[in-house]
Amino acid sequence: MNEILNKPSEKKSNFIREIIDEDLRTNKWNGRVHTRFPPEPNGYLHIGHAKSILLNYGLAKDYNGKFNLRFDDTNPEKEEQEYVDSIVEDVKWLGADFENRILFASDYFDEMYLFAIALIKKEKAYVCDLTAEQIRETRGTLTEPGIESPFRNRSVEENLSLFEQMKNGEFPDGTKTLRAKIDMASPNFNLRDPIMYRILHAHHHRQGDKWKIYPTYDWAHGIEDSIEKITHSICTLEFENHRPLYDWYLEQLEVYHPQQIEFARLNLNYTVMSKRRLLKLVQEKFVDGWDDPRMPTISGFRRRGYTPESIINFTDTIGVAKRDALSDFSLLEFAIRDDLNKKALRVMSVLKPLKVVITNYDGEEDIEAINNPEDITAGTRKLKFSKEIFIEQSDFMEVPVKGYHRLFLGGEVRLRYAYIIKCDEIVKDENDNIIELRCTYEQDTKSGSGTSTKKVKGVIHWISANNCVDAEVRLYDRLFTVENPNAEENWLDFINPNSLEIIENAKIEAGLLSAKFPTNFQFERMGYFCIDSKYSSAKKIVFNRTVSLKDSWTKK
Ligand code: ATP
Ligand code: MG
């Protein structure tokens, strides 16, 4: 696995690449490869969308083709400009280059309308007065054919006139539809006279009030790909059954006909991926917006400190399949750690501080620390060492358990890059809480320059009290307590109540005052962190933990 992650440029072949290779060999598309990502602007993008974007863009890039970003904005009721903007930002952040081709399905509404008229003229479409419910009721079952609509045999003239009246807003919502005239007995439900247009007096985010009829997804989608001369129209498996319908429409219209190819959705454990559910988490404030760092959204991951490279490596690792599966969150975290290990600067920050007074030390000195052992060019920095330092509360135990190698009364530990200290005394408050340790240091044990050959088993991080600043630090855990909340009807009952821990007064290296999002840091021994782009301000620094150093996701 390591090997694959380290060589993101070496793409594994997959069944889609095999199809394209074959098409190039037979010159099916005159050597062209043109893919697209067609989101509906009704929510923020999640990691599943990232997979689709990277797959489509990756193919275009590797085959010297083109990649379109196209908004499938055919449903006016749930779509908003905010979503369009966030999607553009996310696709750009992932590095998928659409060369300014931001396209909108709604820009093709006129053409779609003309295509519908062409089908009516061919007696392949008709205006139907059945209500949505009646259409559903007459669809038939798996074993029985559907019932033909009594309006199925209207004349071309009548259909043309009624369809125009529909378009002009002369009928109320829901009273008529335009249906394709295919086959009410087809074993494929999608071919049982599907709806092409419904009446909807709704305001569209780009078209305003121009349209009183709106195309259905199935009618619109194939036409959009055809208009844009897409070669390989890649979508997820649930559209496999729709392919015969798309094919039928394009054949009847006698227009350019892309090839649809289906692949399995990406699903991740311990989270939900349906936009409807993600929207609910946002609207009902289970999370703090679409970009909450616990969300599986691209914006959430970005805010949490994930890098595009790590997401690319992750999607490459899981590959492209024909069968649905649940991917392990720990694989994604592995990819993040792998990337940040190479890039992140190391700093010493103490999340839950315990004061240590070194009674036999006076003054102050500089201690040299390595910025990134994985990248020598990152250089070194100077840390201050002084009489008062902070260590992590968890690095001290009043009564050490067996095998505890950190600090305890009478015990010794090495302060990273600095001296060995020994704990001589515990200071407690009136409630018996430990508030301070009194220690002594051994002068000749300084890392790198000391003369002592003394060795201790424990090495801990620390920070000098006069060279640190306070910060808020946010630690995250999985958002759900069950592996597959998607499968649960009462999925909200499985939200992890401890998915966010806020630490108010962590001590961070003073140098981090100038840190900017999205620079990643490793707080030594505590994980990878980055500035929170939403809540950090001149008054208060807030850090998010991107990922811990160890894999905390593997089943305990
Ligand atoms: P919904 O149908 O619930 O609105 P959607 O996630 O299918 O949601 P779209 O905006 O239609 O949303 O998705 C855009 C593209 O992303 C589609 O081509 C779709 O197939 C693909 N896609 C969506 N979810 C995933 C996923 N989990 N894995 C891979 N591709 C996905
Ligand atoms: Mg969809």
Coordinates of all heavy atoms in Angstrom, one line a residue, residues 473-537:
V473 N -7.7 24.5 21.2 CA -7.4 23.3 20.3 C -8.6 22.4 20.3 O -9.2 22.1 21.3 CB -6.1 22.6 20.8 CG1 -6.0 21.2 20.1 CG2 -4.9 23.4 20.6
R474 N -8.9 22.1 19.1 CA -10.1 21.2 18.9 C -9.7 19.8 18.4 O -9.1 19.7 17.4 CB -11.1 21.9 17.9 CG -11.6 23.2 18.4 CD -12.4 23.9 17.4 NE -13.1 25.0 18.0 CZ -14.4 25.3 17.9 NH1 -15.1 24.6 17.0 NH2 -14.9 26.3 18.5
L475 N -10.1 18.8 19.1 CA -9.8 17.5 18.8 C -11.1 16.8 18.3 O -12.2 17.0 18.9 CB -9.3 16.7 20.0 CG -8.1 17.3 20.8 CD1 -7.7 16.4 21.9 CD2 -6.9 17.6 19.8
Y476 N -11.0 16.0 17.3 CA -12.2 15.4 16.7 C -12.1 13.8 16.8 O -11.0 13.2 16.7 CB -12.3 15.8 15.2 CG -12.4 17.3 15.0 CD1 -11.3 18.0 14.7 CD2 -13.6 17.9 15.3 CE1 -11.3 19.4 14.6 CE2 -13.7 19.3 15.2 CZ -12.5 20.0 14.8 OH -12.6 21.4 14.7
D477 N -13.3 13.3 16.9 CA -13.4 11.8 16.8 C -14.4 11.5 15.7 O -15.1 12.5 15.2 CB -13.9 11.3 18.2 CG -13.6 9.8 18.3 OD1 -13.2 9.2 17.3 OD2 -13.9 9.3 19.4
R478 N -14.6 10.3 15.4 CA -15.6 9.9 14.4 C -17.0 10.5 14.7 O -17.3 10.6 15.9 CB -15.6 8.4 14.2 CG -15.9 7.7 15.5 CD -15.8 6.2 15.3 NE -14.5 5.7 15.7 CZ -14.1 4.4 15.8 NH1 -15.0 3.5 15.6 NH2 -12.9 4.1 16.2
L479 N -17.7 10.8 13.7 CA -19.0 11.5 13.9 C -20.1 10.5 14.3 O -21.1 10.9 15.0 CB -19.4 12.2 12.6 CG -20.6 13.1 12.6 CD1 -20.5 14.1 13.7 CD2 -20.7 13.9 11.3
F480 N -20.0 9.2 14.0 CA -21.0 8.2 14.4 C -20.3 7.1 15.2 O -19.1 6.8 15.0 CB -21.7 7.7 13.1 CG -22.6 8.7 12.5 CD1 -22.1 9.6 11.5 CD2 -23.9 8.8 12.9 CE1 -23.0 10.5 10.9 CE2 -24.8 9.7 12.3 CZ -24.3 10.6 11.3
T481 N -21.2 6.5 16.0 CA -20.6 5.4 16.8 C -20.8 4.0 16.2 O -20.3 3.0 16.7 CB -21.4 5.3 18.2 OG1 -22.8 5.2 17.8 CG2 -21.2 6.6 19.0
V482 N -21.5 4.0 15.0 CA -21.6 2.7 14.3 C -20.9 2.7 13.0 O -20.8 3.8 12.4 CB -23.1 2.2 14.1 CG1 -23.7 1.9 15.4 CG2 -23.8 3.3 13.4
E483 N -20.4 1.6 12.5 CA -19.6 1.6 11.3 C -20.4 2.0 10.1 O -19.9 2.7 9.2 CB -19.1 0.1 11.1 CG -18.2 0.1 9.8 CD -17.2 -1.0 9.9 OE1 -17.3 -1.9 10.7 OE2 -16.2 -0.9 9.1
N484 N -21.7 1.6 10.0 CA -22.4 2.0 8.8 C -23.7 2.7 9.1 O -24.8 2.1 9.0 CB -22.7 0.7 7.9 CG -23.2 1.1 6.6 OD1 -23.3 2.3 6.2 ND2 -23.7 0.1 5.8
P485 N -23.7 4.0 9.5 CA -24.9 4.7 9.9 C -25.9 4.8 8.7 O -27.1 5.0 8.9 CB -24.4 6.0 10.4 CG -23.0 6.2 9.9 CD -22.5 4.8 9.7
N486 N -25.3 4.7 7.5 CA -26.2 4.7 6.3 C -27.3 3.7 6.3 O -28.4 3.9 5.8 CB -25.4 4.5 5.0 CG -24.3 5.5 4.8 OD1 -24.6 6.7 4.6 ND2 -23.0 5.1 5.0
A487 N -27.0 2.6 7.0 CA -27.9 1.5 7.0 C -29.0 1.6 8.1 O -29.9 0.8 8.1 CB -27.1 0.2 7.1
E488 N -28.8 2.6 8.9 CA -29.7 2.7 10.1 C -30.8 3.7 9.7 O -30.6 4.8 9.3 CB -29.0 3.3 11.3 CG -27.8 2.4 11.7 CD -28.1 1.1 12.3 OE1 -29.3 0.9 12.7 OE2 -27.3 0.2 12.3
E489 N -32.1 3.3 10.0 CA -33.2 4.2 9.8 C -33.1 5.3 10.8 O -33.3 6.5 10.5 CB -34.5 3.4 9.9 CG -35.6 4.1 9.3 CD -36.9 3.3 9.4 OE1 -36.8 2.1 9.3 OE2 -38.0 4.0 9.5
N490 N -32.8 5.0 12.1 CA -32.7 6.0 13.1 C -31.2 6.5 13.2 O -30.7 6.4 14.3 CB -33.2 5.5 14.4 CG -34.7 5.1 14.3 OD1 -35.4 5.8 13.6 ND2 -35.0 4.1 15.0
W491 N -30.7 6.8 12.1 CA -29.2 7.1 12.1 C -28.8 8.2 13.0 O -27.7 8.2 13.5 CB -28.8 7.4 10.6 CG -29.6 8.5 10.0 CD1 -30.9 8.5 9.6 CD2 -29.1 9.9 9.8 NE1 -31.2 9.8 9.1 CE2 -30.1 10.6 9.2 CE3 -27.8 10.5 10.0 CZ2 -30.0 11.9 8.9 CZ3 -27.7 11.8 9.7 CH2 -28.8 12.5 9.1
L492 N -29.7 9.2 13.3 CA -29.3 10.3 14.1 C -29.1 9.8 15.6 O -28.4 10.5 16.3 CB -30.4 11.4 14.1 CG -30.5 12.2 12.8 CD1 -31.7 13.1 12.8 CD2 -29.2 13.1 12.7
D493 N -29.7 8.7 15.9 CA -29.4 8.1 17.3 C -28.0 7.7 17.5 O -27.6 7.4 18.6 CB -30.3 6.9 17.5 CG -31.8 7.3 17.6 OD1 -32.1 8.5 17.6 OD2 -32.7 6.4 17.5
F494 N -27.3 7.6 16.4 CA -25.9 7.0 16.5 C -24.8 8.1 16.3 O -23.7 7.8 16.1 CB -25.7 5.9 15.4 CG -26.7 4.8 15.6 CD1 -27.9 4.7 15.0 CD2 -26.4 3.8 16.6 CE1 -28.8 3.6 15.2 CE2 -27.3 2.7 16.8 CZ -28.5 2.6 16.1
I495 N -25.2 9.3 16.5 CA -24.2 10.4 16.5 C -23.4 10.3 17.7 O -23.9 10.1 18.8 CB -24.9 11.8 16.4 CG1 -25.5 11.9 15.0 CG2 -23.9 12.9 16.7 CD1 -26.0 13.3 14.7
N496 N -22.1 10.4 17.5 CA -21.1 10.3 18.6 C -21.2 11.6 19.5 O -20.8 12.6 19.0 CB -19.7 10.1 18.1 CG -18.6 10.0 19.1 OD1 -18.9 10.1 20.3 ND2 -17.4 9.9 18.7
P497 N -21.6 11.5 20.7 CA -21.7 12.8 21.5 C -20.4 13.4 21.8 O -20.3 14.5 22.2 CB -22.5 12.3 22.8 CG -22.2 10.8 22.9 CD -22.0 10.3 21.5
N498 N -19.3 12.6 21.7 CA -18.0 13.1 22.0 C -17.1 13.3 20.8 O -15.9 13.1 20.8 CB -17.3 12.1 22.9 CG -18.1 11.8 24.2 OD1 -18.6 12.7 24.8 ND2 -18.3 10.5 24.5
S499 N -17.7 13.7 19.7 CA -17.0 13.8 18.4 C -16.1 15.1 18.4 O -15.2 15.2 17.6 CB -17.9 13.8 17.2 OG -18.8 14.8 17.3
L500 N -16.4 16.0 19.3 CA -15.6 17.2 19.4 C -15.2 17.5 20.8 O -16.0 17.5 21.7 CB -16.4 18.4 18.9 CG -15.9 19.8 19.1 CD1 -14.5 20.0 18.4 CD2 -16.9 20.9 18.7
E501 N -13.9 17.7 21.0 CA -13.4 18.1 22.4 C -12.7 19.4 22.2 O -11.8 19.5 21.4 CB -12.4 17.0 22.9 CG -11.9 17.4 24.3 CD -10.8 16.5 24.8 OE1 -10.4 15.5 24.1 OE2 -10.2 16.8 25.9
I502 N -13.1 20.4 23.0 CA -12.5 21.7 22.9 C -11.6 21.9 24.1 O -12.0 21.8 25.2 CB -13.5 22.8 22.8 CG1 -14.4 22.6 21.5 CG2 -12.9 24.2 22.8 CD1 -15.4 23.7 21.3
I503 N -10.3 22.2 23.8 CA -9.4 22.5 24.9 C -9.1 24.0 24.8 O -8.6 24.5 23.8 CB -8.1 21.7 24.7 CG1 -8.3 20.2 24.7 CG2 -7.0 22.1 25.7 CD1 -7.2 19.3 24.3
E504 N -9.4 24.6 25.9 CA -9.4 26.1 25.9 C -8.0 26.7 26.0 O -7.7 27.7 25.4 CB -10.2 26.7 27.0 CG -11.7 26.2 27.1 CD -12.6 27.1 26.3 OE1 -12.2 28.1 25.8 OE2 -13.8 26.8 26.3
N505 N -7.2 26.1 26.9 CA -5.9 26.7 27.2 C -4.7 25.9 26.9 O -3.9 25.6 27.8 CB -5.9 27.2 28.7 CG -6.9 28.3 28.9 OD1 -6.9 29.3 28.1 ND2 -7.8 28.2 29.8
A506 N -4.6 25.5 25.7 CA -3.3 24.8 25.3 C -2.2 25.8 25.2 O -2.5 27.0 25.1 CB -3.6 24.1 24.0
K507 N -1.0 25.3 25.3 CA 0.2 26.2 25.2 C 0.9 25.9 23.9 O 1.3 24.7 23.8 CB 1.1 26.0 26.4 CG 0.5 26.2 27.8 CD 0.3 27.6 28.1 CE -0.3 27.8 29.5 NZ -0.8 29.1 29.7
I508 N 1.0 26.8 23.1 CA 1.7 26.5 21.8 C 2.9 27.4 21.6 O 3.1 28.5 22.3 CB 0.7 26.8 20.6 CG1 0.3 28.2 20.5 CG2 -0.5 25.8 20.7 CD1 -0.4 28.6 19.2
E509 N 3.9 27.0 20.8 CA 5.1 27.7 20.6 C 4.7 29.1 20.1 O 3.9 29.3 19.2 CB 5.9 27.1 19.5 CG 6.8 26.0 20.0 CD 7.8 25.5 18.9 OE1 8.2 26.3 18.1 OE2 8.2 24.3 19.0
A510 N 5.4 30.1 20.7 CA 5.1 31.5 20.3 C 5.2 31.8 18.8 O 4.5 32.6 18.3 CB 6.0 32.5 21.1
G511 N 6.1 31.0 18.2 CA 6.3 31.2 16.8 C 5.0 30.9 15.9 O 4.9 31.4 14.8
L512 N 4.1 30.2 16.5 CA 2.9 29.8 15.8 C 1.9 31.0 15.7 O 0.8 30.9 15.1 CB 2.2 28.6 16.5 CG 2.9 27.3 16.2 CD1 2.2 26.2 17.0 CD2 2.9 27.0 14.8
L513 N 2.2 32.1 16.4 CA 1.3 33.3 16.4 C 1.1 33.7 14.9 O 0.1 34.3 14.6 CB 1.9 34.4 17.2 CG 1.5 34.6 18.6 CD1 2.2 35.7 19.3 CD2 0.0 34.8 18.7
S514 N 2.1 33.5 14.1 CA 2.1 34.0 12.7 C 1.6 32.9 11.8 O 1.6 33.1 10.5 CB 3.4 34.6 12.3 OG 4.4 33.5 12.4
A515 N 1.2 31.8 12.3 CA 0.8 30.7 11.4 C -0.4 31.1 10.6 O -1.3 31.8 11.1 CB 0.4 29.4 12.3
K516 N -0.5 30.6 9.4 CA -1.6 30.9 8.5 C -2.2 29.6 8.0 O -1.5 28.6 7.7 CB -1.1 31.7 7.3 CG -0.5 33.0 7.6 CD -1.5 34.1 7.2 CE -1.1 35.5 7.6 NZ -0.4 35.7 8.9
F517 N -3.5 29.6 7.8 CA -4.2 28.5 7.2 C -3.7 28.5 5.7 O -3.6 29.6 5.1 CB -5.7 28.7 7.2 CG -6.5 27.6 6.6 CD1 -6.7 26.4 7.2 CD2 -7.0 27.8 5.3 CE1 -7.4 25.4 6.6 CE2 -7.7 26.8 4.6 CZ -7.9 25.6 5.3
P518 N -3.4 27.4 5.0 CA -3.6 26.0 5.5 C -2.3 25.3 5.8 O -2.2 24.1 5.6 CB -4.2 25.4 4.2 CG -3.4 26.1 3.1 CD -3.1 27.5 3.6
T519 N -1.3 26.0 6.4 CA -0.1 25.4 6.7 C -0.3 24.3 7.8 O -1.0 24.5 8.8 CB 0.9 26.4 7.3 OG1 0.9 27.5 6.5 CG2 2.3 25.8 7.4
N520 N 0.3 23.1 7.5 CA 0.1 22.0 8.5 C 1.3 21.9 9.4 O 2.4 22.1 9.0 CB 0.0 20.7 7.7 CG -1.1 20.7 6.7 OD1 -1.0 21.0 5.5 ND2 -2.3 20.3 7.2
F521 N 1.0 21.6 10.7 CA 2.0 21.4 11.7 C 1.9 20.0 12.3 O 0.8 19.5 12.4 CB 1.9 22.5 12.8 CG 2.2 23.8 12.3 CD1 1.1 24.6 11.9 CD2 3.4 24.4 12.1 CE1 1.2 25.9 11.4 CE2 3.6 25.7 11.6 CZ 2.5 26.4 11.3
Q522 N 3.0 19.5 12.8 CA 2.9 18.4 13.7 C 3.2 18.9 15.1 O 4.3 19.4 15.3 CB 3.9 17.3 13.3 CG 3.7 16.0 14.2 CD 4.8 15.0 14.1 OE1 5.6 14.9 14.9 NE2 4.7 14.2 13.0
F523 N 2.2 18.8 16.0 CA 2.5 19.1 17.4 C 3.2 17.8 17.9 O 2.5 16.7 17.9 CB 1.3 19.3 18.2 CG 0.6 20.7 17.9 CD1 1.0 21.5 16.9 CD2 -0.5 21.1 18.7 CE1 0.4 22.7 16.6 CE2 -1.1 22.3 18.4 CZ -0.7 23.1 17.4
E524 N 4.4 17.8 18.2 CA 5.2 16.6 18.5 C 4.4 15.7 19.5 O 3.9 16.2 20.5 CB 6.6 16.9 19.1 CG 7.4 17.7 18.1 CD 8.8 17.1 17.8 OE1 9.0 15.9 18.2 OE2 9.6 17.9 17.3
R525 N 4.3 14.5 19.1 CA 3.6 13.4 19.9 C 2.1 13.6 19.9 O 1.4 12.7 20.4 CB 4.1 13.3 21.3 CG 5.6 12.9 21.3 CD 6.2 12.8 22.7 NE 5.6 11.9 23.6 CZ 5.2 12.2 24.8 NH1 5.4 13.4 25.3 NH2 4.6 11.3 25.6
M526 N 1.5 14.7 19.5 CA 0.0 14.9 19.7 C -0.8 14.9 18.4 O -2.0 14.9 18.4 CB -0.2 16.3 20.3 CG 0.5 16.5 21.7 SD 0.4 15.0 22.8 CE -1.2 15.3 23.4
G527 N -0.1 14.8 17.2 CA -0.8 14.7 16.0 C -0.5 15.9 15.0 O 0.4 16.7 15.3
Y528 N -1.2 15.9 13.9 CA -1.1 17.0 12.9 C -2.2 18.0 13.2 O -3.4 17.6 13.4 CB -1.2 16.4 11.5 CG 0.0 15.5 11.2 CD1 -0.1 14.2 11.3 CD2 1.2 16.1 10.9 CE1 1.0 13.3 11.0 CE2 2.3 15.3 10.6 CZ 2.2 13.9 10.7 OH 3.3 13.1 10.4
F529 N -1.9 19.3 13.0 CA -2.8 20.3 13.3 C -2.7 21.4 12.3 O -1.7 21.6 11.6 CB -2.5 21.0 14.7 CG -2.8 20.1 15.9 CD1 -1.9 19.1 16.2 CD2 -3.9 20.2 16.6 CE1 -2.1 18.2 17.3 CE2 -4.2 19.4 17.7 CZ -3.3 18.4 18.0
C530 N -3.8 22.2 12.1 CA -3.7 23.4 11.4 C -4.7 24.5 12.0 O -5.6 24.1 12.7 CB -4.0 23.2 9.9 SG -5.7 23.0 9.5
I531 N -4.4 25.7 11.6 CA -5.2 26.8 12.1 C -6.7 26.6 11.6 O -6.9 26.2 10.5 CB -4.7 28.1 11.5 CG1 -3.4 28.6 12.2 CG2 -5.7 29.3 11.5 CD1 -3.6 29.5 13.4
D532 N -7.6 26.9 12.5 CA -9.0 26.8 12.0 C -9.3 28.1 11.3 O -9.2 29.2 11.9 CB -9.9 26.7 13.2 CG -11.4 26.5 12.8 OD1 -11.7 25.4 12.3 OD2 -12.1 27.5 12.8
S533 N -9.8 28.0 10.0 CA -9.9 29.1 9.2 C -11.2 29.9 9.5 O -11.4 31.0 9.1 CB -10.0 28.7 7.7 OG -11.0 27.7 7.6
K534 N -12.1 29.3 10.4 CA -13.3 30.0 10.7 C -13.3 30.8 12.0 O -13.7 31.9 12.1 CB -14.4 28.9 10.8 CG -15.8 29.5 10.8 CD -16.8 28.3 10.4 CE -18.2 28.7 10.6 NZ -19.1 27.6 10.2
Y535 N -12.7 30.1 13.0 CA -12.8 30.7 14.3 C -11.5 31.4 14.8 O -11.5 32.0 15.9 CB -13.2 29.7 15.4 CG -14.7 29.3 15.1 CD1 -15.0 28.0 14.9 CD2 -15.7 30.3 15.2 CE1 -16.4 27.7 14.6 CE2 -17.0 30.0 14.9 CZ -17.3 28.6 14.7 OH -18.6 28.3 14.4
S536 N -10.4 31.2 14.1 CA -9.2 31.9 14.5 C -9.3 33.4 14.3 O -9.7 33.8 13.2 CB -8.0 31.3 13.8 OG -7.1 30.6 14.7
S537 N -8.8 34.2 15.2 CA -8.8 35.6 15.0 C -7.6 36.2 15.7 O -6.8 35.5 16.3 CB -10.1 36.2 15.6 OG -10.0 36.0 17.0

